[in-house]
Amino acid sequence: MSTLSYAVSDSATMLRRNLRHALRYPSVTVSVVAMPIVMLLLFNYAFGNALGAGIADSPTGDAEYIDYVAPGIILMAATSGALATAISVCVDMTEGIVNRFRTMSVSRAAFLTGHVVGSVIQTLVSLALVIGTALAVGFRPNATALEWLAAMGLLTLLTLALTWISAGIGLVAKNVETASNIPMPMTFLPFLGSAIVPTDSMPTGLRWFAEYQPFTPIIETLRGLLLGTEIGNNAIIALAWCLGAALVGYVWARRVFNKAR
Amino acid sequence: MTTTTTTTTATRGRTRTLAISATGLTKSYGDKKVLDGIDLHIPEGTVFALLGPNGAGKTTTVQILSTLITADAGRAEIAGHDLTGAADGVRRSIGVTGQFAAVDNLLTARENLILMADLHHLGRREGRRRADDLLARFDLTEVAHSSVVTFSGGMRRKLDLAMTLVGDPRVIFLDEPTTGLDPRSRRIMWEIIRDLVTDRGVTILLTTQYLDEADELADRIAVLDHGTLIAEGTADELKRRIPGAHIRLRFADAHRLDAAADLFRATSRNDETLTLNIPCDPGIPTLRAILDALDTASIPAEELTVHTPDLDDVFLTLTGRPQVDRVPDSRKENPR
């Protein structure tokens, strides 16, 4: 076999290992999926009337708050899923198994690739569950099959980017607590964007931040694809953020992992 | 492709291929010099023990030779592969079992072995066959499908070693293979290690804090202290350099000590502790002879202790200070 096919087969072995972990000890996966579902229900049933009334003239053009908030919550499912990778990578690093891999003739990329691909698959499953729940509680997107595909593509790309960054965090974190705490701000970032309420309703300073932070164009693109709202140049900005973050995360995580200690 | 090694050494008139040869290995962490120029020449099919206390640089040596970390200076060849130039060749030839079991806690024993087989690209059938063989050989068949979390320390260490053997390595590094194990598991590990050399002709570099372990397993022993090798030889050669076994007698007063010192002639005495050291083979006949001699001369002793040589004696002799007062440096023993 060539070096490339070894790299692929080693990555597949590592992926099987990670998926087996996830299936056998589903607690992390379950909590990662539960969080956005609880948020969805909370924002729809508990806060939905008040928030919906406040944004009646929102770009979605109707007062159904679920239509406004669902894309935001779907995006949160992507972020929280991705960030669990930091924990699983860190757990491996604190145990001896990674040192064993390093002393074996295993493709250098395989360990991280296995983690990242495993995490992306888990996040996609959790996205499907969150979208299903949203549809069940009244989310009515008007997207065509192609728009759905584009929306899923964007979410996958975002998940990939966040997962690589998260894997890097898992590598540099000294212990599992740190690994689960460092990515926390990232899960809150969508709140300070247009996930829950439109940015125009925010005070000037916050609005400025909210409009320029990466999650806002991503949410707006999602909304546009799923509900037909104006996308404008948000799509390009969203893609640029995702591709940039994926590249930076990938290069950083690979470098940290390969660095001789 | 595996290149054959050409490095050779002459031992006892024969020419033997070297499995591990290292010269001038040096490693520092910040200001602290952990390894200060280590030379190792280990012939194929032999067991070599690196003996030393915590913080002596044993683990660092293993980490360098197993490609986990890079040395600041020096070079080494493992099974004919250059450590820096052909790290992947080295990795294909070696197996490493560290002092902290490197097993996947979330998988079963069999899954752990199959994971190794897959990473060695053995193919599905061969991988499963080898996993089952190893489970049987290490007496783990009954727990093959149990999660490793439930395993005792001894079982984990056995599984760890079994995982190391999946790839059929020619050179095996065992970093403190029995530290923390109960005496029975320790015996079992020793058996397994001995069988490896006789059955498979592998080369083993093991590190240990225990002289008896090195004595039990190794063809040659090197004593490592503060990053330098301070002695090397067979177990017998080393033991000849350290004070042998002795019997220590303690007396109630200086008179009795004097009398006993006269009686046993040419032995070392300590007037402060009122003790007398009698070098001898501390078997029952010797003990009886000493007690009889004391009885006949009517010199009552307060206390009798039998002392057999241990690592402390080696250190005391070779470095002039005991090893126990040293603080282990945990950071570099297990760098991440």
Side-chain angles (χ1 to χ4, degrees), chain A residues 1 5-7 9-11 13-14 16-17 20-22 24-25 89-108 110 170-175 259-261, chain B residues 27 29 63 66-70 88 90-92 94-98 100-108 111-112 114-116 118-121 147 149 159-161 163-165 334-336:
Chain A
M1 269 202 277
S5 61
Y6 275 146
S9 98
D10 288 349
S11 300
T13 303
M14 294 292 186
R16 275 202 302 280
R17 166 175 181 262
R20 188 165 276 157
H21 286 176
R24 201 157 295 167
Y25 299 89
V89 168
C90 189
V91 166
D92 266 353
M93 295 304 290
T94 49
E95 289 179 5
I97 191 89
V98 172
N99 276 351
R100 179 185 285 285
F101 295 148
R102 284 172 191 270
T103 61
M104 294 171 68
S105 175
V106 175
S107 153
R108 282 315 216 196
L171 291 173
V172 295
K174 293 270 183 293
N175 53 49
K259 205 175 79 182
R261 287 148 196 275
Chain B
K27 181 78 182 175
Y29 286 105
Q63 285 173 331
S66 62
T67 76
L68 263 180
I69 57 175
T70 49
D88 212 53
V90 172
R91 291 190 190 117
R92 274 197 298 272
I94 64 168
V96 188
T97 290
F100 305 102
V103 298
D104 188 328
N105 285 312
L106 305 181
L107 300 181
T108 68
E111 284 168 347
N112 263 294
I114 290 173
L115 173 68
M116 291 299 113
D118 288 345
L119 292 175
H120 283 292
H121 314 114
S147 176
V149 198
L159 176 64
D160 192 316
L161 187 53
M163 286 166 75
T164 297
L165 298 180
N334 184 29
R336 269 201 44 201

Side-chain angles (χ1 to χ4, degrees), chain A residues 28-52:
Chain A
V28 175
T29 320
V30 167
S31 67
V32 157
V33 179
M35 206 274 281
I37 289 182
V38 167
M39 296 265 266
L40 183 73
L41 299 178
L42 204 60
F43 276 97
N44 184 44
Y45 293 114
F47 314 141
N49 281 342
L51 289 170

